[in-house]
Amino acid sequence: MGAALARAAQWTAAGSGNGTLEITPLNESLLNQIIKFAEDFNTRHPQEAVFLFREPLEWKTQLDCSVFGKATVQSEAKDKDGQPLLLLTASTLRVRSFDQLSHLLQIAVEKKLKEARACLEANRDPIVKILGSEYGTVEGEDMSMLHLLDKVKKDDDPETEMKMKIFLLLYQLDLQLLNSSLKEISQDIRLSPAAISNEVNLLKNFSGKGGDTVLESLEYTSDYIFSNGCRAPPWRQVHGEICYLVIKPHDTDPLYVTCSTAGVFLNGGKDDIHYERKSDVYKDIVTFLRERSPRFVETMARQVCRFEDVSGSSSETEEDEEQPVRHQEGNTDLPSEYWGIQKLAKYLKGGDPTATVIALCSMRDFNLAQETCQMAIRDIGCLEVLINLLDTEEIRCQIGSLKILKEISQNTLIRHAIADLGGLEIMVKILDSPDKDLKCLAAETIANVARFQQARRTVRQHGGIKRLVGLLGYISVGSTSLTPYQAKDTEIARCGALALWSCSKSTKNKEAIRKAGGIPLLARWLKCSHANILTPVVGTLQECASEPSYRLAIRTEGMIENLVKNLSSEHEELQMHCASAIFKCAEDKETRDLVRQHGGLQPLSVLLGNSENKQLLAAVTGAIWKCAISGENVSKFQEYKAVEALVGLLTDQPEEVLVNIVGALGECCQEPINRTIIRKCGGIPPLVKLLTGTDQALLVNVTKAVGACATEPENMMIIDHLDGVRLLWSLLKNPNPDVQANAAWAICPCIENAKDAGEMVRSFVGGLELIVNLLKSKNKEVLTSVCAAITNIAKDEENLAVLTDHGVIPLLSKLANTNNDKLRRHLAEAISHCCMWGSNRVAFGETKAIAPLVRYLKSKDPSVHRATAQALYQLSEDPNNCITMHENGVVKLLLAMVGSTDETLQEAAAGCIANIRRLALATEKAKYG
Amino acid sequence: MFRCDPPVSPGGSAGPPRPRCRGSGERAAMGRRRLRQLVDSLRRSAEHFDKREVECLIRLFDALVAESGSRPAAGGLGRSMFRDALHSAFGMTDDMIMDRVFHTFDRDNDSCISVVEWVEGLSVFLRGTLEERIKYCFEVYDLNGDGYISREEMFQMLKNSLLKQPSEEDPDEGIKDLVDIALKKMDYDHDGKLSFMDFEKAVRDEMLLLEAFGPCLPDIKSSMAFEQKTFQDTRRL
């Protein structure tokens, strides 16, 4: 109970002395549990109940003598000195046993909560009073139990045993309290000013005069908002209060409400705010109002769909089609189509099925692809009728209506209108119909309508995904020639796949398709040879390949083979989706290998020849880029002359294509020969030119590709000639850390291979200061790449001097405490090269770089060892550094490395040890010599 | 599923090319050999049913005739018995259309449907190919059998198709307009009436127009129910 009271209970911060327990739901529940414990104590543990407390629990009570039915109150029970076990003098109450405490609480009835609170406020650690100070609650490891056990073992004192029992009981209570408070806290939704503001705004949208509003009004009491978002005055913010509201429901008096971090409750309101709580605390305003206003509950039920749409819209973030543009209204000259369609609409509304079907068929003679007709159908009110027809039993009317809806739902506005009129729900239901034509039409229309997020959600929420996946279950895959019956099944599956394709643009639907068992069915249809069904199937798969679960399934269910096969289809759209699926899946090494093993690299290379279809080209180059991450694939691409083709495509392409081409070239540069090929095909100038672009994704790839090319001295001449290094250097100023890092990496080979690198670097005004300042970046990759660049720059003494002037030493030292091995290695190299100037060695020692460096020797990465040993060797030229190293146990670590097979490491380790030893000898000599 | 039929007036005398309508009692005496011959010949003419199904339909026919309680001499199914059958099994309601269906079944025009007409008619009615069904529907809609569906015939068939009359002057106006709409849609040769060519072309273009002037074919649910009941129930017998 001690720990629970000290930690879980919420005390006001009223100084260190007598804090008070706040009236919060958590505290209330804690108190109730303690009361229950104390109340039941004398019945559950009669022996322990008579145990005499070491000191009485003493507090100011609000009970008066009348409760006890006597004038002076003292218990009949007395201790051996004749002191009563319960004594009430003035308003001070003293209690000395659980027995008395139980009785007292039973007498207090409804005041027991207040009494318990007062008691605990006055006795912050009641266990000390009850059992003695040796049992006090200690933060951290609690040894009291062990002491007690020892004591019980040592002497047979019954009182010690009793204490032990009570202590255990209290300990149990403590655990129980902590557990339940944890539960309470985890339920506790901490409200924030933003959450409340959202809720208030939302409710305001549904408030006003009018019958269908949920509230008459809802207003803040104050317009002033503090910078933390609260409206409550600062002295109330201390109590977690955020703002106050006056809410006027339709059916009750105005409610004065406090919103605090703990929840929403009624305050003492009216003219001024009376801050005290007058009701339970609710988790939000809606929940609060549900308890207060029946009218609110009723109107909310009606609004709830709209409400959820509004509040839920932020949860799904996937891309959506553009918002519908309002059709221009108020056009006085109605086109003739209006009259024609209106005439037919009459028969839809007032005709029997026969007349309706004639009218529906006739309506299809209008050009339904034309916006005028689409809008006429909507504006005449015909859309409602068409949707109502779906809800009949008349299959022919349903078919006729869907044939029209399928056409006109090409229009965004119509799509939204169909969804608003509840059309999707009915169409989802129709998917269960035994009539195959009807099923197909419903699925196709769903495919059209579900192009926006809310529609996709509606389909999912009404069980549409499962049914659509079910349509894929009509399976007759394998044969190339179909019987009419099989043809129908293929058609059903095709329509199902079309709808799933539209739906799969929402993340939750991807999940729903997977859960409905869609993946194996898609995999089966992927084996068939009909482009008209393959296109939506692969379309769905490539859409879903954004999810890791699908990528795994595509790999493990053998789908790569079929995707590769269809790269050679004669339908460009299908080819595009296959390439796009490979693009997304080939992030994974095993998939890249599978693409190669199934012979996919050749068709991809061949498709580079089709450069007119830009969407196809983007997907194909993307697939090549990702596949080229594997070295084996690069060799294949080289064989298929893909590098030449890629270079040829470097000009006049849309950016999404360029990003992929340049990414692919960057990966192909793994092979030295490809760097030469790029040069020979004239690829360097267009690449360097792309360094002036602005597209971030493109810059990330271009910097990498240029850097890779620069590793060849002959390429470097061209880059230098085109002033490519200056362009790279200026990209260090780009806000995107990926661009910064890749630019810095690219600068490294440039400096290594440029003819007069030192002079070149000096020619960039402000360039060295810029790069030194990047050591303040928070991005690990930026830091690593900049260290690598500094290593190269520092090879020129003059530039190193400038770097030093710009404060490179303390910045490098500051980075030393890192666990990232890649950064460690490049940092150690940078430090080692920066030692070559002035008193930099001393400076590194002074800025405390030595000790962390010594620890690098314990890393698992051998390249870190080598770089670190070299740095330590350089640093050991300074006697003070040697002392620090020695103190940090460097000798033992280095001795192990002297035995390494890596000669550079060996030499550096040996050199460093030698320096330390020489110093030691010199000191001894000075001392004794 | 079939209701009792009031006695039917005796049908006309037999048409020469087809077997005469006979009462069930008479056929029972006819012997197994003749029944087998009948089944075999029907298997060829009503090609959508197999042997067992033909037998089932014959049994159903016998049961219906017996149920109607008509005298043996009456022979076959009379008009109103047949109409009741259409109504209860396939939910058809339009009297005129049902009369026309009776006519199409009754090939020899003797106002009585023989067992052969019954089985052959149902073959098209339940399982006809598109071609057969187009022909069948056209015959139903060609009220006077002159080979055309005229404006007047359409009017006849559609006159009850507007549930609530538009508030316009003449209630017939709405129907006339509907006939115009149908003609505009289907009269390809612009002669103001529908020939079989017009009708076939329109239906092939838009299947929904097969029953353009009133339901005369069973819908999928009732035909499935009928087949299930007829072919499974009688198997048990």
Side-chain angles (χ1 to χ4, degrees), chain A residues 13 41 182 249 283 290 296 304 367 510 550 563 607 652:
Chain A
F41 200 94
L182 264 183
K283 71 178 170 72
R290 279 183 193 284
F296 178 79
V304 82
N367 182 0
K510 293 174 191 173
Y550 276 87
L563 290 173
L607 281 171
D652 291 334

Side-chain angles (χ1 to χ4, degrees), chain A residues 140-437:
Chain A
E141 222 172 340
D142 190 352
M143 308 293 282
S144 46
M145 192 104 81
L146 295 178
H147 292 310
L148 199 61
L149 202 65
D150 281 346
K151 227 171 153 189
V152 175
K153 272 200 317 205
K154 255 183 247 161
D155 49 15
D156 284 341
D157 184 5
E159 194 190 303
T160 317
E161 205 183 317
M162 175 79 82
K163 275 190 172 177
M164 175 77 176
K165 280 183 186 164
I166 294 176
F167 184 79
L168 284 173
L169 288 171
L170 290 172
Y171 183 73
Q172 259 176 13
L173 172 68
D174 201 9
L175 281 182
Q176 185 194 331
L177 290 175
L178 278 174
N179 272 334
S180 68
S181 66
L182 264 183
K183 242 185 256 166
E184 194 98 5
I185 287 168
S186 54
Q187 282 168 3
D188 195 14
I189 296 174
R190 306 296 286 180
L191 286 179
S192 65
I196 288 173
S197 157
N198 281 341
E199 209 185 356
V200 168
N201 288 338
L202 203 55
L203 285 169
K204 274 191 172 173
N205 285 337
F206 296 96
S207 298
K209 294 288 170 194
D212 58 342
T213 57
V214 297
L215 294 169
E216 204 171 299
S217 70
L218 164 133
E219 297 298 335
Y220 290 110
T221 55
S222 157
D223 287 333
Y224 185 77
I225 309 174
F226 289 90
S227 59
N228 59 5
C230 292
R231 290 169 194 254
W235 64 91
R236 295 306 300 178
Q237 288 182 24
V238 175
H239 299 277
E241 288 175 14
I242 295 168
C243 63
Y244 312 97
L245 299 167
V246 183
I247 302 176
K248 204 161 166 3
H250 287 294
D251 51 353
T252 67
D253 289 336
L255 303 167
Y256 301 89
V257 173
T258 301
C259 300
S260 77
T261 53
V264 178
F265 56 85
L266 206 61
N267 61 41
K270 278 276 160 16
D271 306 320
D272 283 318
I273 299 162
H274 297 281
Y275 296 111
E276 74 269 35
R277 183 160 69 88
K278 298 278 189 183
S279 76
D280 286 344
V281 181
Y282 297 88
K283 71 178 170 72
D284 52 28
I285 304 172
V286 171
T287 318
F288 170 81
L289 285 169
R290 279 183 193 284
E291 295 291 315
R292 302 272 150 189
S293 160
R295 235 335 249 296
F296 178 79
V297 178
E298 193 186 310
T299 40
M300 267 305 271
R302 267 184 267 140
Q303 297 278 13
V304 82
C305 299
R306 266 217 285 163
F307 200 76
E308 278 175 354
D309 283 348
V310 178
S311 57
S313 59
S314 57
S315 65
E316 287 195 22
T317 52
E318 48 272 321
E319 268 177 59
D320 222 345
E321 64 178 11
E322 80 288 8
Q323 279 301 300
V325 245
R326 284 274 150 251
H327 177 63
Q328 201 171 353
E329 313 268 358
N331 190 351
T332 44
D333 296 334
L334 286 175
S336 63
E337 286 87 353
Y338 266 76
W339 306 115
I341 289 171
Q342 191 158 40
K343 197 172 165 191
L344 292 174
K346 196 172 70 182
Y347 296 98
L348 295 187
K349 288 173 190 165
D352 75 351
T354 302
T356 303
V357 167
I358 294 175
L360 287 171
C361 293
S362 183
M363 198 174 276
R364 292 191 59 215
D365 287 341
F366 285 94
N367 182 0
L368 296 178
Q370 199 186 329
E371 202 191 356
T372 329
C373 292
Q374 296 163 349
M375 287 305 117
I377 289 175
R378 187 194 65 167
D379 296 345
I380 288 164
C382 206
L383 209 48
E384 286 91 329
V385 184
L386 289 172
I387 287 168
N388 285 340
L389 284 175
L390 296 182
D391 217 1
T392 62
E393 287 284 291
E394 293 290 338
I395 291 186
R396 295 192 313 139
C397 293
Q398 291 175 305
I399 290 180
S401 164
L402 278 174
K403 280 184 171 175
I404 294 169
L405 290 172
K406 185 183 113 184
E407 295 290 321
I408 60 177
S409 56
Q410 301 289 348
N411 180 310
T412 315
L413 288 168
I414 299 285
R415 289 204 273 274
H416 282 262
I418 291 176
D420 290 345
L421 291 166
L424 282 166
E425 290 87 330
I426 305 174
M427 288 192 280
V428 165
K429 233 188 327 181
I430 288 179
L431 294 175
D432 288 335
S433 160
D435 190 294
K436 292 180 176 179
D437 290 320

